[in-house]
Amino acid sequence: MVNSFLKQTEEKMKKSVEKIAEELKHLRTGRATPAVLEEIKVDYYGVPTPVLQLAQVTTEERQLIVKPWERNLLSAIEKAILASDLGLTPVNDGTVVRINFPTPTTEQRQKWVKKAKEIVEEGKIAVRNIRRDVLKDIKDAKKEGKMSEDDEKRLEKEIQNLTDKYIAELDKLFEKKEKEIMEF
C-alpha cells in the first residue's frame, strides 16, 4: 500500500511536469521554430488538421517556410496563422508561406518571460495539489487503521521529497526557457 501511494504520486507529478514542459515548448521566443505551429489547425476537407501534418516546415535564419503538400492549402494555412494568437504575419508567395520572426524588443521578451513564469507557477500549483490530495488519502488510511503511524510519517516525508524534486525540475524548465527567450 505504501509503495502504491508513492508510485501514483510520482506518476501524477511527472505528468504535470511533462504537460508544463509541452506548454513551454509552444511559447514563442525570438527564434523561428516549427514548434510554434503545432497548435495551429487548418480546415482540411472539413477536418481541423495541424499545419505540421499538411506541410513541410523548414527554418531559415529568422524565418519559417511552410510548403504544403497540396498547393490549394496555401491560403487556408495563411488564414489559420493570421487567426492564431502568435502575432506573426505570414506571406503567401504562391508556392510557400513564409513567416518572418522579427527581432523581438526587450519589452516583448519580458512579456514572454512573464508568461513562462505563469505557466511554470501553474505547474507548481498542480504538483502541490497532488501532494495535498495524497496526504489527505494517507491520513484517511491511517484513521481507518490500514496504515501504521510510522508508515504515515515516512510516507509524508517521501511525498514531500517528491514534491521538492518536481518543483525543482519546474524551476529548471523555467530557467532554461527564460535563457532561451532573453537570448539575442
Side-chain angles (χ1 to χ4, degrees):
M1 177 178 228
V2 171
N3 284 339
S4 72
F5 273 118
L6 282 175
K7 211 174 223 177
Q8 288 175 348
T9 303
E10 186 157 21
E11 282 177 23
K12 287 178 184 176
M13 288 182 178
K14 191 179 280 186
K15 283 181 185 173
S16 291
V17 170
E18 288 170 0
K19 182 180 180 292
I20 295 303
E22 190 65 26
E23 277 187 56
L24 285 174
K25 190 171 88 173
H26 297 296
L27 188 64
R28 187 172 156 207
T29 62
R31 270 195 212 127
T33 173
V36 297
L37 299 178
E38 284 181 2
E39 296 295 310
I40 297 178
K41 305 248 190 287
V42 176
D43 185 36
Y44 183 64
Y45 297 107
V47 178
T49 310
V51 169
L52 297 179
Q53 290 180 13
L54 298 173
Q56 175 186 0
V57 180
T58 54
T59 307
E60 282 183 14
E61 295 288 315
R62 302 190 73 77
Q63 187 178 73
L64 282 180
I65 298 169
V66 183
K67 185 174 184 180
W69 310 125
E70 296 178 30
R71 193 172 277 190
N72 63 339
L73 290 173
L74 279 168
S75 62
I77 290 172
E78 183 182 16
K79 287 176 187 167
I81 293 168
L82 277 171
S84 72
D85 63 348
L86 290 176
L88 297 171
T89 307
V91 177
N92 180 350
D93 69 6
T95 55
V96 295
V97 174
R98 297 178 188 280
I99 308 165
N100 290 314
F101 281 69
T103 306
T105 64
T106 305
E107 185 180 307
Q108 285 175 313
R109 290 177 190 272
Q110 289 170 343
K111 273 195 334 196
W112 295 337
V113 167
K114 188 176 177 183
K115 178 70 175 161
K117 189 160 191 71
E118 288 171 10
I119 291 170
V120 168
E121 199 55 44
E122 288 172 18
K124 287 180 180 182
I125 290 169
V127 168
R128 290 181 188 124
N129 285 343
I130 292 167
R131 175 189 61 190
R132 181 197 63 213
D133 295 343
V134 169
L135 290 178
K136 182 183 175 296
D137 293 344
I138 291 169
K139 291 230 183 289
D140 291 346
K142 165 79 172 65
K143 280 182 187 174
E144 294 170 9
K146 295 179 182 176
M147 187 182 295
S148 70
E149 194 170 324
D150 289 343
D151 283 343
E152 176 191 21
K153 295 296 179 200
R154 185 173 58 81
L155 251 178
E156 284 177 357
K157 186 177 180 184
E158 289 186 36
I159 298 292
Q160 184 58 48
N161 290 342
L162 278 177
T163 304
D164 295 342
K165 172 186 165 188
Y166 285 106
I167 285 182
E169 212 171 294
L170 286 167
D171 286 335
K172 285 180 193 168
L173 283 173
F174 172 71
E175 287 172 20
K176 182 179 170 192
K177 192 64 174 186
E178 181 182 33
K179 184 179 176 189
E180 188 180 323
I181 290 171
M182 296 309 281
E183 222 173 58
F184 281 94

